[in-house]
Structures are given as structure tokens and as C-alpha cells.
Amino acid sequence: MRDPYSVLGVAKTASEKEIKSAYRNLAKRYHPDSAKGAAGAKEKFAEIGLAYDILGDKDKRAQFDRGEIDAEGKPKFQGFEGFGAGGAGNPFEGFEFRTSRGGAPGGNAGGGGFGAEDILSEMFGFGRGAGARAGAQRSGFQQSGPFGGQ
């Protein structure tokens, strides 16, 4: 649907009285009983009614003006709490994501981040042992048993 203000032909600063008057005039003009045979009168009448449903209600009009609902009165997506604009911030702020290969952001030699092997080692209780590539072995982790296929 189009913007309710343009459907009713009023300005965004229109008073409640002006909105009601515009609705009544358009509703009389496009009512299916008075506009018999006019092409699109039924659809236009429904559009006028929907526009008035939003602009004729103080709360809905305020929500529409703030961008909380669309021209059909349906809530707009505002994002998830804690994510995006107006949220509590990024829950991953301060973390450094890295891979198990050197050269990626943070690498394996850097500190302060965590990688997939850190997560897996905590979940499954294993780490890199004798079979690890040179330079990629992490201190404090011992291989607890053979990996699948070894």
C-alpha cells in the first residue's frame, strides 16, 4: 500500500479533524454502493479504509511516523536485542577470531583470541599432540588418544 498520508491526500502535519474529513469525503466518493461500475473503486475504498485505520488512531499514527509499523499497520523488523543499531552493543566485542593456520588475523601464535581447535578441545577434551604441524602446537594441550582414522 502507498503512504497513508498520500492515500488520504493530507499533509503529515494534518490535524485529526482534517484526516477525518478527508477520509469521509473519499469514502463517500469511492464507496462500492455510490461508485457502482467504476473501475477499481472497491480496491480504492479498501485502501482508504486501511489508511484511516492507521492515521485515525493516535497510537498507530505515532508508530507509523516513528517507522515502527508499515503502511499496512504491520510491525517493521527492528533487529534482535543486543545486535545492530540501538542495541546493547556487539556481544563479540573484544574477541579476536582466528584460524588454526598462521597468517590469518591473530594466527595461532598471537594471543587473546580463540580458534576452532580451542573450541573443539574444550568440547571433546583433545588437543594437538605429536602429529601437529611444526609451529602450530599449543602448550598445555595433550592428545588424549588417536583421532578417527589414525
Side-chain angles (χ1 to χ4, degrees):
M1 184 177 109
R2 296 182 303 152
D3 177 49
Y5 290 103
S6 64
V7 170
L8 295 181
V10 296
K12 290 190 181 216
T13 57
S15 68
E16 290 178 39
K17 186 177 181 181
E18 291 171 317
I19 290 172
K20 190 173 192 174
S21 175
Y23 166 71
R24 285 186 175 176
N25 288 334
L26 290 170
K28 284 179 191 176
R29 181 175 174 189
Y30 290 101
H31 192 279
D33 290 341
S34 61
K36 290 181 182 175
K42 187 176 183 180
E43 292 80 15
K44 182 74 173 170
F45 182 76
E47 186 179 41
I48 292 165
L50 186 56
Y52 186 70
D53 282 345
I54 293 172
L55 299 182
D57 182 310
K58 283 183 184 180
D59 295 331
K60 286 183 183 179
R61 181 179 180 184
Q63 287 177 322
F64 178 78
D65 289 343
R66 288 190 303 261
E68 295 173 2
I69 60 173
D70 63 13
E72 295 179 354
K74 296 177 184 173
K76 288 186 178 179
F77 180 72
Q78 298 293 319
F80 296 108
E81 186 176 326
F83 292 90
N90 183 352
F92 300 108
E93 190 173 326
F95 286 102
E96 178 184 321
F97 291 94
R98 57 191 164 93
T99 65
S100 60
R101 301 176 227 272
N108 227 12
F114 61 91
E117 67 190 48
D118 297 326
I119 295 170
L120 293 173
S121 67
E122 288 199 22
M123 288 174 57
F124 300 111
F126 59 81
R128 298 197 141 192
R133 287 180 306 224
Q137 190 168 2
R138 298 188 49 90
S139 61
F141 290 100
Q142 297 295 320
Q143 186 171 351
S144 60
F147 290 96
Q150 287 185 348

